Amino acid sequence: MEQKDIIYLDHAATTPVKPAVLEKMLPWFSQNYGNPSSTIYGLGRTTHEAVEGARETVAGCLGAKKEEIFFTGCGTEADNWAIRGCAYANRKKGSHIITTAMEHHAVLHTCMQLEKEGFSVTYLKPDAEGLIQPKAVEQAIRPDTVLITVMFANNEIGTIQPIAEIGKIARTHGILFHTDAVQAVGSVPVEVESLQVDMLSLSAHKFYGPKGVGALYVRKGIRPDIFMQGGAQERGRRGGTENIAGIVGLATALELACKNMDETMKCIAEKRDYLIERVLESIPYSRLNGHRTKRLPGNANFSFQYIEGESLLIWLDLNGIAASSGSACTSGSLDPSHVLLSIGLPHEIAHGSLRLTLGEETTKEQLDYVVEKLTNTVEKLRQMSPLYEAVQKG
Amino acid sequence: MIYTDKVMDHFTNPRNVGELENANAVGEVGNARCGDIMKIYMTIENDVIEDIRFKTFGCGAAIATSSVATELVKGKTIEEALKITNKAVVEQLGGLPKEKLHCSVLAEEAIQAAILDYCEKNGKEIPEALSGCGGCCGGCSHNHIAHE
């Protein structure tokens, strides 16, 4: 099958770089290649200005100040830096961190590592719809709590957390608050002041920018320990020669995403709702995972009873559809997705999950085709499932 | 996950899939919690596996190994069938990704479970090879693949 014929429904994994973004990036490889630290000559001043211009753009999109934006190598690095940096910097004050059981591994594994280093971590469980209750965050606060980190929107089930309410609680208690907004930035409005977040991670390739570049917003006055030691780049707080083309690409993509956000959100959410309705009405023993409306515009996550997710993905791939699952078989581990388990799904239902994440280019016609293939495939797999046989025979 | 062409062939065109109404040997191994269940139906006459069908809940490798295992044992005596190991299943498929090897073990054990059922129902002496594992999905405490 030709690449162009693929129906790509895995935008939560990554997105294609928009041609307009790529075009802006190209001059920063061979043409303007100066080191932004070499401002003594023109070539260096040009790239320095490009990086600083991009910083200003990103700050503008988030309602932040220019000097609060730090470029990183990816979203994972931003998460690591924020969490470890704050934990280490505040070690004398306390060693307790509050997070959730449904975080991305960039946060979860970082917290687990900190536990090994002597920190204690509370992992809040979301409710059955995948939401974290702000009250639960407040109740988890201890005198030695130094950091709260709660993801803005979940990468698997797309639920959007009440970040502003949690931010208010954190600020009231004088505790640093970080949010992993990798799935949210570029998809929904994110404005750091009203959210009262102290740190926020983002990643370019989730909003039609390039891979290999992210950013961390760090509110003025907060100083997480340095994660990447090196030169004076990023005001001495993140060493390493800047990925100029990547940074320009990140800023361009974010600017484009924010420009038409309301319209794009509405358009994608409409298609998502259409997909959800059609799937739930076409396929028996199916359910939607995550809150029906408090979710990312492009995210639909289903479970189909009596079948296993990887088999489903292979058949979808054979039909030219790229999707993802929380089944153990696709994660390379024995357990299904920790996110699906955290909302209380039994293992066997979590194994039969399917994540379809829509993008700007997704069409209704594509979704009709997907529903048709999905319905047939689920039925085919059920016909050979001993679990389904047992149900049908009662 | 990269599967061989043979795995894909057996996954997309599984052989001997379904049920056998007149089966006199049925074996089921694995469990839903681990994400793999294989159920094998056989008709055995004079200790020969005359016909065989399977149903599987599981990943691509689970379906492919079930399919191959049914091909390998069809027409064999139960004694011959019990000699077929998961290794033979893997070879027949041209290899499996490392994390999917447990599926081949499950296939071997599904065959054994069906034969055990036949032996028990027909008052036959239980062959030595059938010593007790209820199915190796690799994810549960009763299994012998190392985990966690």
mmCIF file of all heavy atoms in Angstrom, chain B residues 4-5 10 14 24 26 29 39 47 57 60-61 66 78-79 84 86-88 90 95 100 108 126 129-131 140 146:
data_model
loop_
_atom_site.group_PDB
_atom_site.id
_atom_site.type_symbol
_atom_site.label_atom_id
_atom_site.label_comp_id
_atom_site.label_asym_id
_atom_site.label_seq_id
_atom_site.Cartn_x
_atom_site.Cartn_y
_atom_site.Cartn_z
ATOM 1 N N THR B 4 7.212 -12.643 10.743
ATOM 2 C CA THR B 4 7.621 -13.249 9.477
ATOM 3 C C THR B 4 6.395 -13.380 8.564
ATOM 4 O O THR B 4 5.251 -13.319 9.016
ATOM 5 C CB THR B 4 8.210 -14.654 9.702
ATOM 6 O OG1 THR B 4 7.168 -15.493 10.234
ATOM 7 C CG2 THR B 4 9.388 -14.642 10.663
ATOM 8 N N ASP B 5 6.671 -13.609 7.284
ATOM 9 C CA ASP B 5 5.580 -13.811 6.320
ATOM 10 C C ASP B 5 4.733 -15.019 6.713
ATOM 11 O O ASP B 5 3.520 -15.030 6.517
ATOM 12 C CB ASP B 5 6.149 -14.018 4.912
ATOM 13 C CG ASP B 5 6.731 -12.722 4.356
ATOM 14 O OD1 ASP B 5 6.460 -11.661 4.956
ATOM 15 O OD2 ASP B 5 7.454 -12.775 3.344
ATOM 16 N N HIS B 10 -0.375 -17.357 8.556
ATOM 17 C CA HIS B 10 -1.234 -18.111 9.479
ATOM 18 C C HIS B 10 -2.194 -17.208 10.243
ATOM 19 O O HIS B 10 -3.277 -17.631 10.627
ATOM 20 C CB HIS B 10 -0.380 -18.937 10.454
ATOM 21 C CG HIS B 10 0.065 -20.240 9.853
ATOM 22 N ND1 HIS B 10 -0.696 -21.378 9.914
ATOM 23 C CD2 HIS B 10 1.174 -20.562 9.155
ATOM 24 C CE1 HIS B 10 -0.065 -22.364 9.284
ATOM 25 N NE2 HIS B 10 1.080 -21.889 8.811
ATOM 26 N N PRO B 14 -5.928 -18.369 9.054
ATOM 27 C CA PRO B 14 -5.706 -19.436 10.034
ATOM 28 C C PRO B 14 -6.311 -20.761 9.562
ATOM 29 O O PRO B 14 -7.412 -20.785 9.029
ATOM 30 C CB PRO B 14 -6.403 -18.913 11.293
ATOM 31 C CG PRO B 14 -7.329 -17.851 10.833
ATOM 32 C CD PRO B 14 -6.780 -17.294 9.575
ATOM 33 N N ASN B 24 -14.091 -35.280 20.752
ATOM 34 C CA ASN B 24 -14.012 -36.106 21.962
ATOM 35 C C ASN B 24 -12.783 -35.747 22.804
ATOM 36 O O ASN B 24 -12.414 -36.461 23.720
ATOM 37 C CB ASN B 24 -14.030 -37.604 21.614
ATOM 38 C CG ASN B 24 -12.868 -37.985 20.696
ATOM 39 O OD1 ASN B 24 -12.117 -37.122 20.256
ATOM 40 N ND2 ASN B 24 -12.729 -39.271 20.416
ATOM 41 N N VAL B 26 -11.103 -31.931 24.241
ATOM 42 C CA VAL B 26 -11.098 -30.467 24.245
ATOM 43 C C VAL B 26 -10.113 -29.983 25.300
ATOM 44 O O VAL B 26 -10.119 -30.469 26.433
ATOM 45 C CB VAL B 26 -12.508 -29.892 24.552
ATOM 46 C CG1 VAL B 26 -12.479 -28.371 24.534
ATOM 47 C CG2 VAL B 26 -13.535 -30.416 23.548
ATOM 48 N N VAL B 29 -6.216 -23.575 27.437
ATOM 49 C CA VAL B 29 -5.128 -23.089 28.293
ATOM 50 C C VAL B 29 -5.045 -21.561 28.217
ATOM 51 O O VAL B 29 -5.594 -20.954 27.304
ATOM 52 C CB VAL B 29 -3.759 -23.697 27.898
ATOM 53 C CG1 VAL B 29 -3.733 -25.193 28.160
ATOM 54 C CG2 VAL B 29 -3.427 -23.376 26.453
ATOM 55 N N LYS B 39 -8.100 -22.645 22.771
ATOM 56 C CA LYS B 39 -8.984 -23.778 22.984
ATOM 57 C C LYS B 39 -8.866 -24.693 21.766
ATOM 58 O O LYS B 39 -9.022 -24.225 20.630
ATOM 59 C CB LYS B 39 -10.423 -23.281 23.155
ATOM 60 C CG LYS B 39 -11.374 -24.337 23.654
ATOM 61 C CD LYS B 39 -12.703 -23.694 24.048
ATOM 62 C CE LYS B 39 -13.655 -24.729 24.623
ATOM 63 N NZ LYS B 39 -14.952 -24.130 24.981
ATOM 64 N N ASP B 47 -6.547 -43.557 18.869
ATOM 65 C CA ASP B 47 -5.362 -42.783 19.253
ATOM 66 C C ASP B 47 -4.773 -41.942 18.111
ATOM 67 O O ASP B 47 -3.649 -41.450 18.205
ATOM 68 C CB ASP B 47 -4.262 -43.691 19.839
ATOM 69 C CG ASP B 47 -4.631 -44.206 21.230
ATOM 70 O OD1 ASP B 47 -5.697 -43.787 21.745
ATOM 71 O OD2 ASP B 47 -3.866 -44.999 21.802
ATOM 72 N N PHE B 57 -8.156 -16.482 21.685
ATOM 73 C CA PHE B 57 -8.247 -15.062 22.056
ATOM 74 C C PHE B 57 -6.806 -14.656 22.299
ATOM 75 O O PHE B 57 -6.138 -15.226 23.166
ATOM 76 C CB PHE B 57 -9.084 -14.931 23.338
ATOM 77 C CG PHE B 57 -8.872 -13.639 24.097
ATOM 78 C CD1 PHE B 57 -9.481 -12.461 23.705
ATOM 79 C CD2 PHE B 57 -8.073 -13.613 25.230
ATOM 80 C CE1 PHE B 57 -9.295 -11.284 24.426
ATOM 81 C CE2 PHE B 57 -7.885 -12.428 25.957
ATOM 82 C CZ PHE B 57 -8.498 -11.269 25.546
ATOM 83 N N GLY B 60 -1.449 -11.581 17.448
ATOM 84 C CA GLY B 60 -1.145 -12.185 16.163
ATOM 85 C C GLY B 60 -0.369 -13.483 16.300
ATOM 86 O O GLY B 60 -0.672 -14.481 15.643
ATOM 87 N N ALA B 61 0.606 -13.493 17.181
ATOM 88 C CA ALA B 61 1.434 -14.681 17.380
ATOM 89 C C ALA B 61 0.627 -15.814 18.001
ATOM 90 O O ALA B 61 0.813 -16.984 17.658
ATOM 91 C CB ALA B 61 2.628 -14.345 18.266
ATOM 92 N N SER B 66 -1.367 -21.134 17.155
ATOM 93 C CA SER B 66 -2.482 -22.077 17.261
ATOM 94 C C SER B 66 -2.698 -22.764 15.923
ATOM 95 O O SER B 66 -2.852 -23.986 15.841
ATOM 96 C CB SER B 66 -3.786 -21.363 17.624
ATOM 97 O OG SER B 66 -3.620 -20.532 18.725
ATOM 98 N N ILE B 78 -1.504 -39.798 19.085
ATOM 99 C CA ILE B 78 -1.316 -38.913 20.247
ATOM 100 C C ILE B 78 0.129 -38.990 20.742
ATOM 101 O O ILE B 78 0.680 -38.006 21.228
ATOM 102 C CB ILE B 78 -2.345 -39.166 21.383
ATOM 103 C CG1 ILE B 78 -2.314 -40.584 21.885
ATOM 104 C CG2 ILE B 78 -3.723 -38.770 20.949
ATOM 105 C CD1 ILE B 78 -3.252 -40.812 23.078
ATOM 106 N N GLU B 79 0.723 -40.148 20.576
ATOM 107 C CA GLU B 79 2.123 -40.283 21.001
ATOM 108 C C GLU B 79 3.016 -39.345 20.184
ATOM 109 O O GLU B 79 3.861 -38.628 20.725
ATOM 110 C CB GLU B 79 2.558 -41.736 20.815
ATOM 111 C CG GLU B 79 3.804 -42.107 21.581
ATOM 112 C CD GLU B 79 4.255 -43.530 21.263
ATOM 113 O OE1 GLU B 79 3.412 -44.339 20.809
ATOM 114 O OE2 GLU B 79 5.446 -43.818 21.432
ATOM 115 N N ILE B 84 5.621 -33.081 19.772
ATOM 116 C CA ILE B 84 5.767 -31.789 19.090
ATOM 117 C C ILE B 84 5.909 -30.687 20.140
ATOM 118 O O ILE B 84 5.037 -30.485 20.969
ATOM 119 C CB ILE B 84 4.577 -31.535 18.149
ATOM 120 C CG1 ILE B 84 4.701 -32.505 16.967
ATOM 121 C CG2 ILE B 84 4.560 -30.095 17.651
ATOM 122 C CD1 ILE B 84 3.462 -32.640 16.154
ATOM 123 N N ASN B 86 7.153 -26.647 21.429
ATOM 124 C CA ASN B 86 6.973 -25.263 20.992
ATOM 125 C C ASN B 86 8.058 -24.862 20.001
ATOM 126 O O ASN B 86 7.855 -24.010 19.155
ATOM 127 C CB ASN B 86 6.949 -24.324 22.205
ATOM 128 C CG ASN B 86 8.314 -24.058 22.781
ATOM 129 O OD1 ASN B 86 9.026 -24.994 23.146
ATOM 130 N ND2 ASN B 86 8.692 -22.789 22.845
ATOM 131 N N LYS B 87 9.205 -25.518 20.113
ATOM 132 C CA LYS B 87 10.309 -25.209 19.192
ATOM 133 C C LYS B 87 9.916 -25.513 17.745
ATOM 134 O O LYS B 87 10.205 -24.749 16.826
ATOM 135 C CB LYS B 87 11.535 -26.032 19.591
ATOM 136 C CG LYS B 87 12.826 -25.252 19.532
ATOM 137 C CD LYS B 87 13.997 -26.089 20.019
ATOM 138 C CE LYS B 87 15.157 -25.914 19.064
ATOM 139 N NZ LYS B 87 16.135 -26.997 19.177
ATOM 140 N N ALA B 88 9.228 -26.651 17.590
ATOM 141 C CA ALA B 88 8.783 -27.032 16.245
ATOM 142 C C ALA B 88 7.787 -26.008 15.708
ATOM 143 O O ALA B 88 7.808 -25.660 14.519
ATOM 144 C CB ALA B 88 8.148 -28.415 16.295
ATOM 145 N N VAL B 90 7.675 -22.829 16.496
ATOM 146 C CA VAL B 90 8.423 -21.613 16.154
ATOM 147 C C VAL B 90 9.153 -21.799 14.817
ATOM 148 O O VAL B 90 9.129 -20.921 13.949
ATOM 149 C CB VAL B 90 9.432 -21.246 17.271
ATOM 150 C CG1 VAL B 90 10.275 -20.051 16.873
ATOM 151 C CG2 VAL B 90 8.691 -20.943 18.572
ATOM 152 N N GLY B 95 10.318 -18.429 12.887
ATOM 153 C CA GLY B 95 10.754 -17.590 14.020
ATOM 154 C C GLY B 95 9.632 -16.715 14.564
ATOM 155 O O GLY B 95 8.651 -16.433 13.875
ATOM 156 N N LYS B 100 7.290 -13.040 22.137
ATOM 157 C CA LYS B 100 6.114 -13.804 21.718
ATOM 158 C C LYS B 100 6.333 -15.309 21.837
ATOM 159 O O LYS B 100 5.465 -16.097 21.476
ATOM 160 C CB LYS B 100 5.777 -13.482 20.252
ATOM 161 C CG LYS B 100 5.416 -12.052 20.018
ATOM 162 C CD LYS B 100 4.089 -11.710 20.633
ATOM 163 C CE LYS B 100 3.674 -10.309 20.245
ATOM 164 N NZ LYS B 100 2.405 -9.941 20.845
ATOM 165 N N GLU B 108 1.699 -25.465 22.358
ATOM 166 C CA GLU B 108 2.118 -26.827 22.713
ATOM 167 C C GLU B 108 1.234 -27.350 23.848
ATOM 168 O O GLU B 108 0.754 -28.488 23.827
ATOM 169 C CB GLU B 108 3.595 -26.798 23.158
ATOM 170 C CG GLU B 108 4.129 -28.118 23.672
ATOM 171 C CD GLU B 108 5.498 -27.959 24.351
ATOM 172 O OE1 GLU B 108 6.293 -27.124 23.890
ATOM 173 O OE2 GLU B 108 5.745 -28.662 25.344
ATOM 174 N N ILE B 126 -2.358 -41.914 31.567
ATOM 175 C CA ILE B 126 -1.911 -40.549 31.245
ATOM 176 C C ILE B 126 -0.434 -40.599 30.825
ATOM 177 O O ILE B 126 0.410 -41.022 31.599
ATOM 178 C CB ILE B 126 -2.056 -39.616 32.466
ATOM 179 C CG1 ILE B 126 -3.478 -39.686 33.076
ATOM 180 C CG2 ILE B 126 -1.670 -38.180 32.126
ATOM 181 C CD1 ILE B 126 -4.590 -39.092 32.257
ATOM 182 N N ALA B 129 4.407 -37.282 29.428
ATOM 183 C CA ALA B 129 4.607 -35.897 28.967
ATOM 184 C C ALA B 129 3.568 -34.929 29.533
ATOM 185 O O ALA B 129 3.796 -33.719 29.588
ATOM 186 C CB ALA B 129 4.561 -35.865 27.442
ATOM 187 N N LEU B 130 2.431 -35.457 29.945
ATOM 188 C CA LEU B 130 1.357 -34.568 30.407
ATOM 189 C C LEU B 130 1.422 -34.368 31.914
ATOM 190 O O LEU B 130 0.608 -34.853 32.664
ATOM 191 C CB LEU B 130 -0.005 -35.159 30.020
ATOM 192 C CG LEU B 130 -0.212 -35.363 28.528
ATOM 193 C CD1 LEU B 130 -1.543 -36.019 28.265
ATOM 194 C CD2 LEU B 130 -0.128 -34.030 27.796
ATOM 195 N N SER B 131 2.416 -33.621 32.316
ATOM 196 C CA SER B 131 2.581 -33.473 33.756
ATOM 197 C C SER B 131 2.182 -32.095 34.245
ATOM 198 O O SER B 131 2.998 -31.250 34.561
ATOM 199 C CB SER B 131 4.025 -33.775 34.150
ATOM 200 O OG SER B 131 4.874 -32.961 33.370
ATOM 201 N N CYS B 140 1.290 -15.428 34.558
ATOM 202 C CA CYS B 140 0.624 -15.753 35.823
ATOM 203 C C CYS B 140 1.548 -16.551 36.727
ATOM 204 O O CYS B 140 2.504 -17.159 36.283
ATOM 205 C CB CYS B 140 -0.624 -16.578 35.576
ATOM 206 S SG CYS B 140 -1.584 -15.945 34.236
ATOM 207 N N ALA B 146 9.781 -17.202 33.404
ATOM 208 C CA ALA B 146 10.148 -16.218 34.428
ATOM 209 C C ALA B 146 9.441 -14.901 34.147
ATOM 210 O O ALA B 146 9.311 -14.483 33.007
ATOM 211 C CB ALA B 146 11.651 -15.996 34.412
#
